[in-house]
Amino acid sequence: MRRSTLQRKDRGELNQIAAALGAKPSSRARKDEIIQLIIDLTADGARISRPAGESPPAEAAPGGSGEADQGLQSADNAGASGRDGDQNGEGSAAGSREESRPADRGEDEVDPGNRRRRRRNRDRDRDRDDSWDGDPVAVAGRLDLRDEGYGFLRVDGCLPNRNDAYVPVKTIRQYGLRRGDHLTGTSRPANRAEKNPALLTLESINGGPAELSDRPQFESLTPIHAVRRLTLEQPEDPDAIAARLIDLVAPIGIGQRVLVTGPRRSGASELLTSLITAIETNEPDIFVMGLFLDQRPEDVTEVRRCVRNGDVAATSFEQTPEEHVQTAEMTIERVKRLVESGRNVAVVLDSLTSLAQAYNAALSNAGRAYSGNVESGAVHMPKKLFGAGRNVSESGSVTMIASIVSDGSSSLPGVLSDEFVGTANTEIRLDRWAAQLGLFPAIDLSASVSRDEDRFIDADEVQALQDLRRSFTGDAEDDPGGVVKALETALSKLRSTASNAELLR
């Protein structure tokens, strides 16, 4: 028996092996003394004492008795069983399996301190996969961390799956892994007592080599104002009127927070889909992440087909609030990891209201609540996610474009709208009556505004844009149907010209 193999075992397992070899270590013997005793016994050719009438094994391993090796393997299996219980604790009762397992019955088991030491040793043994010698399986996915320190590689979206690979604590600490990291490597299949495969080797982290890098924390990056415009107009597509109109009425800067507000059924989802197409067409260096929550299943399919080069995380209305929350949090953590590596990302979220409703349903009623039985955390968490939108001085940016329902009331939509006042750099307001009349995009031109457009557009163009906006709304400001008339005027001028540059002349 090798000393390194024995060193990985706890005191109770060593006592069992020593007893099987015919020795009984003292209760005060140190672990190293017990290991040396076992080595001496096997080197001297000691044999296990067998009960009367029991036949010897068919073949004994060289250098020691077959029963000794069998006892050692039994102890290995016991440790592995404990490891599997911890590794696959996702939705399972690992503690119950440990209580029902008739192993680790050493003479010092009555000592609570020894039990704690054995438990710590089993935690260390979770990272050992040397008992498996099959062919490795390629695996790739996003890392989802647990509070206990270990994680799972989500191989199919953001939600748990039986094919997700367990990632041990040792690997996470060794490479400084964070939630949302995209990993590739190899895994071994799940054992009989396990639910998930286990990661064996790590080959790449976020597309780069698997090595410990001194990358910054997203929260430590320095946010600055946008200095570059996000171009939406698509000259090769004259029917992309929505993108052209936003460029004229509420231009967006890269790294800004954009809020699309309006009542339900005012065309927010369609507007966001058109923005995704415009960004992918004009800004190839920006990675688009679509986050659509609590949607109809057919709408989810349509959005996925719309995104060509980016990624989409979506949930349908029949899924649980916890699944909505998990999807949103995993997506935003992935975005942060991309920005930490210097990437520009555009997040298109539909909607903040659905996310707040999911948080409100998932949270307990023990916390402080707003009026209308709205949990405070249900408002704080969407604000935290929306606040990830920023341009950073080091490198990279998050352009956050999110929709929110603006129905004023004391319930969640009304509270949420009040909380988001002043948080956006650009606000695009939608009008219910224009949407009901079939006008798209149903934008309220006088209420939509970009507060920092002078930071990424030269002064002459800003003045031309302001003059054009006044020409849209000047004659209809005091008219009750002014919003619809101004929008009809703007859409008519857009359709009669080939580009915004021609319209601004």
Side-chain angles (χ1 to χ4, degrees), residues 80-92:
S81 177
R83 182 179 73 247
D84 299 339
D86 290 334
Q87 170 180 326
N88 297 292
E90 194 172 37
S92 64

Side-chain angles (χ1 to χ4, degrees), residues 228-419:
R228 174 183 157 199
R229 183 174 183 171
L230 182 66
T231 304
L232 300 176
E233 182 182 3
Q234 305 162 67
E236 70 283 355
D237 187 4
D239 295 330
I241 299 297
R244 287 183 60 189
L245 186 58
I246 292 175
D247 268 348
L248 295 173
V249 176
I252 301 172
I254 294 178
Q256 284 192 329
R257 293 174 300 281
V258 182
L259 207 57
V260 180
T261 64
R264 301 182 190 276
R265 295 180 296 278
S266 58
S269 298
E270 293 81 357
L271 180 61
L272 293 180
T273 303
S274 66
L275 290 180
I276 290 176
T277 302
I279 296 172
E280 287 200 320
T281 301
N282 297 324
E283 305 288 351
D285 64 318
I286 297 180
F287 186 79
V288 178
M289 296 282 288
L291 179 55
F292 288 75
L293 304 173
D294 200 17
Q295 302 287 316
R296 295 179 299 180
E298 56 271 18
D299 292 336
V300 172
T301 302
E302 185 175 349
V303 171
R304 292 189 187 278
R305 291 175 177 175
C306 170
V307 178
R308 301 186 302 270
N309 303 317
D311 194 8
V312 175
T315 58
S316 52
F317 62 81
E318 76 273 9
Q319 293 181 255
T320 64
E322 290 77 14
E323 290 175 325
H324 300 321
V325 170
Q326 167 80 358
T327 300
E329 291 182 348
M330 280 288 291
T331 300
I332 202 63
E333 288 300 321
R334 177 60 187 152
V335 169
K336 291 179 179 179
R337 304 293 84 82
L338 290 172
V339 177
E340 289 170 353
S341 60
R343 296 286 300 276
N344 292 310
V345 186
V347 180
V348 181
L349 168 60
D350 188 20
S351 69
L352 287 168
T353 305
S354 297
L355 179 60
Q357 290 171 338
Y359 272 113
N360 196 48
L363 293 172
S364 66
N365 294 324
R368 181 176 64 89
Y370 289 94
S371 59
N373 197 28
V374 179
E375 291 287 340
S376 58
V379 177
H380 170 70
M381 296 308 294
K383 288 179 68 175
K384 184 177 179 181
L385 188 147
F386 186 68
R390 64 191 65 186
N391 187 31
V392 297
S393 61
E394 290 81 1
S395 182
S397 65
V398 180
T399 304
M400 180 68 67
I401 306 174
S403 65
I404 186 172
V405 176
S406 61
D407 292 334
S409 64
S410 61
S411 60
L412 180 57
V415 172
L416 197 63
S417 297
D418 294 340
E419 287 292 322

Side-chain angles (χ1 to χ4, degrees), residues 144-159:
D144 186 11
L145 294 181
R146 295 306 184 91
D147 295 336
E148 295 83 355
Y150 62 90
F152 288 89
L153 203 58
R154 304 298 180 199
V155 298
D156 185 16
C158 302
L159 301 178

